[in-house]
Amino acid sequence: MVDLSRRRLFKRKVVNSGQLCLPWVKDPSHFTNDCTRCGKCVENCETNIIVNGDGGFPTIDFSIGECTFCYQCAIACPESLFKQEDTAPWQAVATINNKCLSQQNIECRSCGDMCDSMAIQFKLEVGKVAQPHINLDECNGCGACVAVCPTSSIDVSNFNNNER
């Protein structure tokens, strides 16, 4: 018989704040205290974007694919870490840095083509190719734009870490 109270003795108390927590997590600040790192969320992710991250805790890797918000990670979890499916999955949005090809005046619209919510729009500017703009109110943080970006210039992170 395993004493579950002792299992928590060796857990890290803080996960790297740069890592995006899983969707629907009730309280990311208590995630490392409550997650047992059983791997059920990793096994049940339909797009396989949940991977073992810092300290073996599950995190999202958008370089693999996008989140379809299938809720399978929450269903598979034996702990009570997740909110109900009818709530917002997270406060995560995409940002584009200056490595973007369009910002280098090279035509590229890969991210906009992958954005189902149409949060990434391209606006014409004088003397430049069309420039990407993210409507933060429309962005659901699914990460579909990340893997297709040829310069890895898109990042999805928690909303409270971004300025609006």
Side-chain angles (χ1 to χ4, degrees), residues 12-34:
R12 287 194 47 214
K13 296 298 179 194
V14 178
V15 170
N16 176 357
S17 62
Q19 289 183 327
L20 184 62
C21 224
L22 306 184
W24 289 286
V25 166
K26 285 181 186 175
D27 189 354
S29 64
H30 290 108
F31 184 72
T32 56
N33 291 331
D34 300 331

PDB file of all heavy atoms in Angstrom, residues 12-34:
ATOM      1  N   ARG A  12       7.910  19.473  -6.344  1.00  0.00           N
ATOM      2  CA  ARG A  12       8.285  20.879  -6.406  1.00  0.00           C
ATOM      3  C   ARG A  12       7.063  21.699  -6.046  1.00  0.00           C
ATOM      4  O   ARG A  12       5.954  21.366  -6.395  1.00  0.00           O
ATOM      5  CB  ARG A  12       8.724  21.233  -7.826  1.00  0.00           C
ATOM      6  CG  ARG A  12      10.062  20.659  -8.150  1.00  0.00           C
ATOM      7  CD  ARG A  12      10.636  21.260  -9.381  1.00  0.00           C
ATOM      8  NE  ARG A  12      10.505  22.703  -9.320  1.00  0.00           N
ATOM      9  CZ  ARG A  12      10.304  23.435 -10.382  1.00  0.00           C
ATOM     10  NH1 ARG A  12      10.218  22.911 -11.556  1.00  0.00           N
ATOM     11  NH2 ARG A  12      10.201  24.731 -10.276  1.00  0.00           N
ATOM     12  N   LYS A  13       7.263  22.794  -5.408  1.00  0.00           N
ATOM     13  CA  LYS A  13       6.148  23.640  -5.001  1.00  0.00           C
ATOM     14  C   LYS A  13       5.755  24.634  -6.092  1.00  0.00           C
ATOM     15  O   LYS A  13       4.655  25.128  -6.116  1.00  0.00           O
ATOM     16  CB  LYS A  13       6.494  24.414  -3.722  1.00  0.00           C
ATOM     17  CG  LYS A  13       6.708  23.499  -2.545  1.00  0.00           C
ATOM     18  CD  LYS A  13       5.464  22.729  -2.225  1.00  0.00           C
ATOM     19  CE  LYS A  13       5.684  21.797  -1.071  1.00  0.00           C
ATOM     20  NZ  LYS A  13       4.654  20.825  -0.910  1.00  0.00           N
ATOM     21  N   VAL A  14       6.663  24.954  -7.009  1.00  0.00           N
ATOM     22  CA  VAL A  14       6.371  25.937  -8.038  1.00  0.00           C
ATOM     23  C   VAL A  14       6.781  25.382  -9.390  1.00  0.00           C
ATOM     24  O   VAL A  14       7.880  24.869  -9.550  1.00  0.00           O
ATOM     25  CB  VAL A  14       7.139  27.245  -7.763  1.00  0.00           C
ATOM     26  CG1 VAL A  14       6.877  28.265  -8.850  1.00  0.00           C
ATOM     27  CG2 VAL A  14       6.773  27.816  -6.407  1.00  0.00           C
ATOM     28  N   VAL A  15       5.891  25.491 -10.364  1.00  0.00           N
ATOM     29  CA  VAL A  15       6.203  25.121 -11.740  1.00  0.00           C
ATOM     30  C   VAL A  15       6.703  26.369 -12.439  1.00  0.00           C
ATOM     31  O   VAL A  15       6.286  27.477 -12.125  1.00  0.00           O
ATOM     32  CB  VAL A  15       4.941  24.569 -12.451  1.00  0.00           C
ATOM     33  CG1 VAL A  15       5.182  24.410 -13.936  1.00  0.00           C
ATOM     34  CG2 VAL A  15       4.549  23.242 -11.853  1.00  0.00           C
ATOM     35  N   ASN A  16       7.589  26.202 -13.390  1.00  0.00           N
ATOM     36  CA  ASN A  16       8.086  27.309 -14.186  1.00  0.00           C
ATOM     37  C   ASN A  16       6.899  28.129 -14.684  1.00  0.00           C
ATOM     38  O   ASN A  16       6.038  27.629 -15.380  1.00  0.00           O
ATOM     39  CB  ASN A  16       8.893  26.741 -15.358  1.00  0.00           C
ATOM     40  CG  ASN A  16       9.381  27.808 -16.302  1.00  0.00           C
ATOM     41  OD1 ASN A  16       9.097  28.987 -16.160  1.00  0.00           O
ATOM     42  ND2 ASN A  16      10.134  27.367 -17.287  1.00  0.00           N
ATOM     43  N   SER A  17       6.858  29.423 -14.336  1.00  0.00           N
ATOM     44  CA  SER A  17       5.703  30.257 -14.685  1.00  0.00           C
ATOM     45  C   SER A  17       5.566  30.468 -16.188  1.00  0.00           C
ATOM     46  O   SER A  17       4.532  30.897 -16.662  1.00  0.00           O
ATOM     47  CB  SER A  17       5.793  31.602 -13.970  1.00  0.00           C
ATOM     48  OG  SER A  17       6.946  32.291 -14.396  1.00  0.00           O
ATOM     49  N   GLY A  18       6.617  30.160 -16.953  1.00  0.00           N
ATOM     50  CA  GLY A  18       6.548  30.276 -18.397  1.00  0.00           C
ATOM     51  C   GLY A  18       5.772  29.139 -19.040  1.00  0.00           C
ATOM     52  O   GLY A  18       5.395  29.219 -20.200  1.00  0.00           O
ATOM     53  N   GLN A  19       5.542  28.067 -18.293  1.00  0.00           N
ATOM     54  CA  GLN A  19       4.797  26.935 -18.832  1.00  0.00           C
ATOM     55  C   GLN A  19       3.307  27.222 -18.761  1.00  0.00           C
ATOM     56  O   GLN A  19       2.806  27.771 -17.786  1.00  0.00           O
ATOM     57  CB  GLN A  19       5.096  25.661 -18.048  1.00  0.00           C
ATOM     58  CG  GLN A  19       6.478  25.121 -18.264  1.00  0.00           C
ATOM     59  CD  GLN A  19       6.676  23.817 -17.524  1.00  0.00           C
ATOM     60  OE1 GLN A  19       6.122  23.596 -16.467  1.00  0.00           O
ATOM     61  NE2 GLN A  19       7.483  22.956 -18.096  1.00  0.00           N
ATOM     62  N   LEU A  20       2.610  26.822 -19.809  1.00  0.00           N
ATOM     63  CA  LEU A  20       1.170  26.992 -19.842  1.00  0.00           C
ATOM     64  C   LEU A  20       0.528  25.788 -19.169  1.00  0.00           C
ATOM     65  O   LEU A  20       0.797  24.650 -19.520  1.00  0.00           O
ATOM     66  CB  LEU A  20       0.696  27.108 -21.291  1.00  0.00           C
ATOM     67  CG  LEU A  20      -0.769  27.391 -21.514  1.00  0.00           C
ATOM     68  CD1 LEU A  20      -1.151  28.740 -20.892  1.00  0.00           C
ATOM     69  CD2 LEU A  20      -1.068  27.415 -22.991  1.00  0.00           C
ATOM     70  N   CYS A  21      -0.306  26.057 -18.185  1.00  0.00           N
ATOM     71  CA  CYS A  21      -1.014  24.986 -17.488  1.00  0.00           C
ATOM     72  C   CYS A  21      -2.085  24.401 -18.399  1.00  0.00           C
ATOM     73  O   CYS A  21      -2.471  24.997 -19.392  1.00  0.00           O
ATOM     74  CB  CYS A  21      -1.645  25.555 -16.226  1.00  0.00           C
ATOM     75  SG  CYS A  21      -1.430  24.505 -14.805  1.00  0.00           S
ATOM     76  N   LEU A  22      -2.570  23.243 -18.073  1.00  0.00           N
ATOM     77  CA  LEU A  22      -3.611  22.597 -18.860  1.00  0.00           C
ATOM     78  C   LEU A  22      -4.897  23.409 -18.830  1.00  0.00           C
ATOM     79  O   LEU A  22      -5.149  24.152 -17.894  1.00  0.00           O
ATOM     80  CB  LEU A  22      -3.879  21.198 -18.296  1.00  0.00           C
ATOM     81  CG  LEU A  22      -2.685  20.263 -18.154  1.00  0.00           C
ATOM     82  CD1 LEU A  22      -3.154  18.900 -17.686  1.00  0.00           C
ATOM     83  CD2 LEU A  22      -1.908  20.159 -19.423  1.00  0.00           C
ATOM     84  N   PRO A  23      -5.741  23.251 -19.860  1.00  0.00           N
ATOM     85  CA  PRO A  23      -7.014  23.982 -19.843  1.00  0.00           C
ATOM     86  C   PRO A  23      -7.907  23.485 -18.701  1.00  0.00           C
ATOM     87  O   PRO A  23      -7.821  22.342 -18.303  1.00  0.00           O
ATOM     88  CB  PRO A  23      -7.624  23.667 -21.210  1.00  0.00           C
ATOM     89  CG  PRO A  23      -6.928  22.449 -21.696  1.00  0.00           C
ATOM     90  CD  PRO A  23      -5.583  22.431 -21.055  1.00  0.00           C
ATOM     91  N   TRP A  24      -8.715  24.369 -18.209  1.00  0.00           N
ATOM     92  CA  TRP A  24      -9.695  24.120 -17.147  1.00  0.00           C
ATOM     93  C   TRP A  24      -9.087  23.841 -15.772  1.00  0.00           C
ATOM     94  O   TRP A  24      -9.797  23.436 -14.860  1.00  0.00           O
ATOM     95  CB  TRP A  24     -10.671  22.991 -17.503  1.00  0.00           C
ATOM     96  CG  TRP A  24     -11.633  23.350 -18.564  1.00  0.00           C
ATOM     97  CD1 TRP A  24     -12.721  24.175 -18.445  1.00  0.00           C
ATOM     98  CD2 TRP A  24     -11.617  22.920 -19.915  1.00  0.00           C
ATOM     99  NE1 TRP A  24     -13.366  24.277 -19.641  1.00  0.00           N
ATOM    100  CE2 TRP A  24     -12.715  23.510 -20.569  1.00  0.00           C
ATOM    101  CE3 TRP A  24     -10.775  22.092 -20.647  1.00  0.00           C
ATOM    102  CZ2 TRP A  24     -12.990  23.306 -21.901  1.00  0.00           C
ATOM    103  CZ3 TRP A  24     -11.049  21.879 -21.981  1.00  0.00           C
ATOM    104  CH2 TRP A  24     -12.142  22.483 -22.594  1.00  0.00           C
ATOM    105  N   VAL A  25      -7.793  24.040 -15.585  1.00  0.00           N
ATOM    106  CA  VAL A  25      -7.208  23.832 -14.256  1.00  0.00           C
ATOM    107  C   VAL A  25      -7.803  24.875 -13.309  1.00  0.00           C
ATOM    108  O   VAL A  25      -7.840  26.061 -13.611  1.00  0.00           O
ATOM    109  CB  VAL A  25      -5.669  23.934 -14.308  1.00  0.00           C
ATOM    110  CG1 VAL A  25      -5.075  24.060 -12.909  1.00  0.00           C
ATOM    111  CG2 VAL A  25      -5.095  22.720 -15.002  1.00  0.00           C
ATOM    112  N   LYS A  26      -8.297  24.394 -12.166  1.00  0.00           N
ATOM    113  CA  LYS A  26      -8.958  25.275 -11.202  1.00  0.00           C
ATOM    114  C   LYS A  26      -8.030  26.360 -10.681  1.00  0.00           C
ATOM    115  O   LYS A  26      -8.371  27.530 -10.663  1.00  0.00           O
ATOM    116  CB  LYS A  26      -9.471  24.465 -10.006  1.00  0.00           C
ATOM    117  CG  LYS A  26     -10.693  23.662 -10.264  1.00  0.00           C
ATOM    118  CD  LYS A  26     -11.105  22.931  -8.990  1.00  0.00           C
ATOM    119  CE  LYS A  26     -12.256  21.984  -9.258  1.00  0.00           C
ATOM    120  NZ  LYS A  26     -12.586  21.197  -8.058  1.00  0.00           N
ATOM    121  N   ASP A  27      -6.874  25.959 -10.204  1.00  0.00           N
ATOM    122  CA  ASP A  27      -5.966  26.915  -9.580  1.00  0.00           C
ATOM    123  C   ASP A  27      -4.527  26.578  -9.956  1.00  0.00           C
ATOM    124  O   ASP A  27      -3.903  25.727  -9.317  1.00  0.00           O
ATOM    125  CB  ASP A  27      -6.145  26.875  -8.062  1.00  0.00           C
ATOM    126  CG  ASP A  27      -5.398  27.980  -7.354  1.00  0.00           C
ATOM    127  OD1 ASP A  27      -4.636  28.723  -8.008  1.00  0.00           O
ATOM    128  OD2 ASP A  27      -5.573  28.114  -6.125  1.00  0.00           O
ATOM    129  N   PRO A  28      -3.984  27.227 -10.985  1.00  0.00           N
ATOM    130  CA  PRO A  28      -2.617  26.922 -11.417  1.00  0.00           C
ATOM    131  C   PRO A  28      -1.572  27.082 -10.304  1.00  0.00           C
ATOM    132  O   PRO A  28      -0.573  26.377 -10.291  1.00  0.00           O
ATOM    133  CB  PRO A  28      -2.362  27.932 -12.547  1.00  0.00           C
ATOM    134  CG  PRO A  28      -3.712  28.251 -13.070  1.00  0.00           C
ATOM    135  CD  PRO A  28      -4.635  28.200 -11.873  1.00  0.00           C
ATOM    136  N   SER A  29      -1.830  27.967  -9.341  1.00  0.00           N
ATOM    137  CA  SER A  29      -0.856  28.162  -8.263  1.00  0.00           C
ATOM    138  C   SER A  29      -0.787  26.964  -7.321  1.00  0.00           C
ATOM    139  O   SER A  29       0.206  26.778  -6.618  1.00  0.00           O
ATOM    140  CB  SER A  29      -1.167  29.435  -7.481  1.00  0.00           C
ATOM    141  OG  SER A  29      -2.420  29.327  -6.839  1.00  0.00           O
ATOM    142  N   HIS A  30      -1.837  26.125  -7.286  1.00  0.00           N
ATOM    143  CA  HIS A  30      -1.836  24.928  -6.446  1.00  0.00           C
ATOM    144  C   HIS A  30      -1.676  23.645  -7.260  1.00  0.00           C
ATOM    145  O   HIS A  30      -1.770  22.549  -6.710  1.00  0.00           O
ATOM    146  CB  HIS A  30      -3.134  24.851  -5.632  1.00  0.00           C
ATOM    147  CG  HIS A  30      -3.203  25.890  -4.569  1.00  0.00           C
ATOM    148  ND1 HIS A  30      -4.046  26.966  -4.652  1.00  0.00           N
ATOM    149  CD2 HIS A  30      -2.506  26.028  -3.419  1.00  0.00           C
ATOM    150  CE1 HIS A  30      -3.877  27.731  -3.590  1.00  0.00           C
ATOM    151  NE2 HIS A  30      -2.945  27.177  -2.823  1.00  0.00           N
ATOM    152  N   PHE A  31      -1.452  23.789  -8.553  1.00  0.00           N
ATOM    153  CA  PHE A  31      -1.376  22.630  -9.439  1.00  0.00           C
ATOM    154  C   PHE A  31      -0.305  21.632  -8.994  1.00  0.00           C
ATOM    155  O   PHE A  31      -0.549  20.434  -8.944  1.00  0.00           O
ATOM    156  CB  PHE A  31      -1.113  23.106 -10.877  1.00  0.00           C
ATOM    157  CG  PHE A  31      -1.120  22.010 -11.891  1.00  0.00           C
ATOM    158  CD1 PHE A  31      -2.312  21.395 -12.265  1.00  0.00           C
ATOM    159  CD2 PHE A  31       0.058  21.582 -12.489  1.00  0.00           C
ATOM    160  CE1 PHE A  31      -2.335  20.388 -13.212  1.00  0.00           C
ATOM    161  CE2 PHE A  31       0.047  20.575 -13.433  1.00  0.00           C
ATOM    162  CZ  PHE A  31      -1.146  19.976 -13.792  1.00  0.00           C
ATOM    163  N   THR A  32       0.881  22.116  -8.642  1.00  0.00           N
ATOM    164  CA  THR A  32       1.957  21.200  -8.256  1.00  0.00           C
ATOM    165  C   THR A  32       1.689  20.507  -6.929  1.00  0.00           C
ATOM    166  O   THR A  32       2.216  19.434  -6.670  1.00  0.00           O
ATOM    167  CB  THR A  32       3.320  21.916  -8.190  1.00  0.00           C
ATOM    168  OG1 THR A  32       3.225  23.023  -7.301  1.00  0.00           O
ATOM    169  CG2 THR A  32       3.754  22.380  -9.558  1.00  0.00           C
ATOM    170  N   ASN A  33       0.873  21.116  -6.094  1.00  0.00           N
ATOM    171  CA  ASN A  33       0.526  20.475  -4.824  1.00  0.00           C
ATOM    172  C   ASN A  33      -0.483  19.351  -5.013  1.00  0.00           C
ATOM    173  O   ASN A  33      -0.486  18.384  -4.263  1.00  0.00           O
ATOM    174  CB  ASN A  33      -0.051  21.495  -3.842  1.00  0.00           C
ATOM    175  CG  ASN A  33       0.986  22.473  -3.369  1.00  0.00           C
ATOM    176  OD1 ASN A  33       2.165  22.175  -3.304  1.00  0.00           O
ATOM    177  ND2 ASN A  33       0.544  23.677  -3.049  1.00  0.00           N
ATOM    178  N   ASP A  34      -1.352  19.486  -6.020  1.00  0.00           N
ATOM    179  CA  ASP A  34      -2.459  18.555  -6.182  1.00  0.00           C
ATOM    180  C   ASP A  34      -2.264  17.515  -7.275  1.00  0.00           C
ATOM    181  O   ASP A  34      -2.868  16.450  -7.235  1.00  0.00           O
ATOM    182  CB  ASP A  34      -3.750  19.333  -6.440  1.00  0.00           C
ATOM    183  CG  ASP A  34      -4.089  20.273  -5.291  1.00  0.00           C
ATOM    184  OD1 ASP A  34      -3.716  19.964  -4.150  1.00  0.00           O
ATOM    185  OD2 ASP A  34      -4.721  21.315  -5.542  1.00  0.00           O
TER     186      ASP A  34
END
